[in-house]
Amino acid sequence: MNNEKELDKNISNILIVDDVPANLKVLGDILRNKGYKVRLVPNGKLALIVAENEKPDLILLDIMMPEMNGYEVCHFLKQNENLKDVPVIFISALNETDDIVQALNIGGVDYISKPFKAEEVIARVATHLTIFKQKQELVQLNNLKNKFFSIIAHDLKSPFNGILGVIQMLNSNFSDFDESEIKEMLYVLQSSSQNVYNLLEGLLDWSQTQTGRMEYESVEVDIHKKTNEIFELLKPNADKKELSLSNNIEKEVISFVDERAVATVLRNLVSNAIKFTKNGGSINVSADVKENEIEISVSDSGIGMSEEVKNNLFKLDVHHTTIGTNHEIGTGIGLILCKELIEHHNGNIWAESELGKGSKFIFTLPKNEAK
């Protein structure tokens, strides 16, 4: 069912408005034969209702219609916040220059004169659908860019405020603090600096995936061995919270992947597990070797997540920062990077969690060399 919905989303939805049934049938048949979803409407008022109920990707609009002509329909479309960006191609027997100019001035993107040729209709529809989709993608990319910079500003500001605040206290009143207090402040400085470094490292990797500059080299990677290396790297953080790290992956579980990418994913997931598990808890990494893939799980006995947080974990356009059990600052960029890296290897990543009952992050990797 989900695949059918995704397929339906990829089919362009065209609304045809004409009061002549023969014209509707001919245009509808032409475009259906090209694989488009077509809706036929006999008048302008109904066209506005139909378009509002299900936004079309493009509208073919006749001009000479009773009650409400095509110019009026286009005017109302362009006044509607939800529909104003939909491209309108006028298709009419009126072929004077003034008619064409008026159609374009009121918001039409093109004009086809009747009697029309099927090849011309197909070509112009395809061109304007391409332009429309490219504009939508540009808007989405621009919104993501703005959201991305907002995340960066927020997540950099917090640790830097901590660093600057501690430095200011030490600089102004150093002699007022005893040795234990100074050590505590130095720990705060170290922790905040590490947060900034982790964020910048994740940003660098993520930006490379977005610009196509990240180079991948697939080799045989021993997942058990790589997990041990990540545990060794993050052991100091786990020891501070007295957490147990368990590698339950059997030896010589091999995946043909980019070694750096797998290390980045494991490091992010284990690091998050440490961050959101209370003192004395446990973190386990395991693997289920299937016929053509390996399903790797990183589970913890931590604080868990609500359904809303879980559903937004891998979305750049939804920013949700959660404070760790020892007040560690986190950012969603690491999980977004994990998603990019796993999908590059044709794998999937998802989370299972319940508030107060821990979390499990699962991702898949190819078992054998990619074809």
Side-chain angles (χ1 to χ4, degrees):
M1 184 63 71
N2 287 337
N3 289 338
E4 290 179 6
K5 288 182 179 179
E6 287 299 319
L7 186 62
D8 201 43
K9 285 182 181 178
N10 293 328
I11 298 174
S12 295
N13 171 13
I14 300 174
L15 181 64
I16 304 176
V17 189
D18 198 314
D19 64 320
V20 179
N23 290 338
L24 285 177
K25 184 178 186 312
V26 172
L27 283 169
D29 289 345
I30 289 171
L31 296 175
R32 281 197 192 97
N33 288 336
K34 286 296 176 180
Y36 298 117
K37 176 183 177 181
V38 175
R39 291 179 293 162
L40 309 178
V41 179
N43 62 71
K45 287 185 177 179
L46 183 58
L48 294 174
I49 296 171
V50 170
E52 184 67 42
N53 287 339
E54 183 182 347
K55 183 177 180 178
D57 296 311
L58 182 141
I59 299 173
L60 285 175
L61 181 61
D62 186 29
I63 294 177
M64 299 300 292
M65 295 184 293
E67 295 188 49
M68 181 182 290
N69 65 38
Y71 296 136
E72 294 171 313
V73 174
C74 189
H75 171 76
F76 283 114
L77 287 169
K78 298 307 171 183
Q79 296 300 309
N80 187 309
E81 193 65 28
N82 183 46
L83 300 172
K84 65 181 182 181
D85 62 330
V86 176
V88 175
I89 299 178
F90 283 94
I91 185 162
S92 174
L94 300 176
N95 55 16
E96 296 295 326
T97 300
D98 288 347
D99 301 317
I100 298 172
V101 170
Q102 183 177 354
L104 297 177
N105 283 340
I106 206 165
V109 296
D110 207 344
Y111 195 100
I112 299 174
S113 297
K114 296 179 181 177
F116 52 80
K117 295 180 179 179
E119 295 81 1
E120 180 183 8
V121 172
I122 292 167
R124 296 201 185 196
V125 164
T127 296
H128 288 291
L129 281 172
T130 299
I131 293 171
F132 178 57
K133 289 181 179 179
Q134 288 174 340
K135 287 175 66 177
Q136 285 183 312
E137 289 171 1
L138 284 173
V139 169
Q140 290 173 355
L141 287 172
N142 192 53
N143 289 338
L144 280 177
K145 179 202 71 176
N146 292 337
K147 186 66 179 179
F148 178 71
F149 285 126
S150 173
I151 291 172
I152 302 315
H154 178 277
D155 289 342
L156 281 176
K157 185 177 180 181
S158 182
F160 269 121
N161 280 340
I163 292 170
L164 292 172
V166 172
I167 290 175
Q168 184 177 7
M169 282 194 297
L170 286 171
N171 188 48
S172 302
N173 306 293
F174 185 83
S175 59
D176 293 340
F177 300 112
D178 59 31
E179 184 177 345
S180 63
E181 290 173 322
I182 292 173
K183 283 184 177 179
E184 180 63 28
M185 290 182 181
L186 289 175
Y187 172 77
V188 171
L189 286 176
Q190 180 186 16
S191 177
S192 296
S193 299
Q194 186 65 51
N195 283 332
V196 173
Y197 177 81
N198 291 342
L199 175 60
L200 293 176
E201 186 178 46
L203 288 174
L204 178 60
D205 286 341
W206 185 79
S207 66
Q208 287 179 329
T209 66
Q210 298 303 295
T211 57
R213 289 186 289 112
M214 188 163 185
E215 297 180 0
Y216 295 91
E217 181 183 0
S218 292
V219 296
E220 288 188 348
V221 177
D222 186 324
I223 306 300
H224 174 88
K225 182 179 178 182
K226 185 55 62 178
T227 300
N228 279 341
E229 291 175 6
I230 297 302
F231 278 0
E232 191 64 30
L233 177 69
L234 298 175
K235 190 175 184 298
N237 294 342
D239 288 345
K240 288 176 184 176
K241 302 176 76 171
E242 299 179 340
L243 304 177
S244 66
L245 302 177
S246 300
N247 182 357
N248 297 317
I249 300 176
E250 294 182 4
K251 293 182 178 179
E252 297 184 1
V253 171
I254 305 297
S255 179
F256 195 83
V257 286
D258 182 87
E259 187 170 7
R260 178 188 172 197
V262 173
T264 299
V265 172
L266 283 170
R267 186 181 72 246
N268 272 281
L269 296 184
V270 175
S271 179
N272 280 347
I274 292 172
K275 190 179 300 178
F276 298 114
T277 301
K278 294 180 179 179
N279 290 14
S282 61
I283 295 163
N284 301 283
V285 180
S286 59
D288 182 8
V289 180
K290 301 187 176 182
E291 185 177 354
N292 294 315
E293 66 180 13
I294 304 168
E295 190 174 283
I296 301 168
S297 302
V298 178
S299 58
D300 62 60
S301 59
I303 59 178
M305 295 175 283
S306 67
E307 195 69 18
E308 180 184 2
V309 170
K310 186 179 69 175
N311 291 337
N312 291 322
L313 283 174
F314 302 99
K315 298 177 182 178
L316 180 61
D317 57 339
V318 181
H319 184 220
H320 185 89
T321 296
T322 306
I323 305 300
T325 57
N326 278 9
H327 306 291
E328 304 98 327
I329 303 285
T331 175
I333 293 296
L335 290 177
I336 294 166
L337 173 62
C338 289
K339 184 174 185 290
E340 298 274 356
L341 297 176
I342 293 300
E343 289 182 349
H344 175 84
H345 292 86
N346 298 316
N348 295 305
I349 183 169
W350 67 96
E352 298 173 359
S353 185
E354 189 176 342
L355 272 176
K357 296 186 178 180
S359 300
K360 178 190 288 187
F361 282 81
I362 307 104
F363 63 96
T364 60
L365 293 174
K367 181 180 177 183
N368 303 311
E369 181 172 350
K371 302 297 183 187

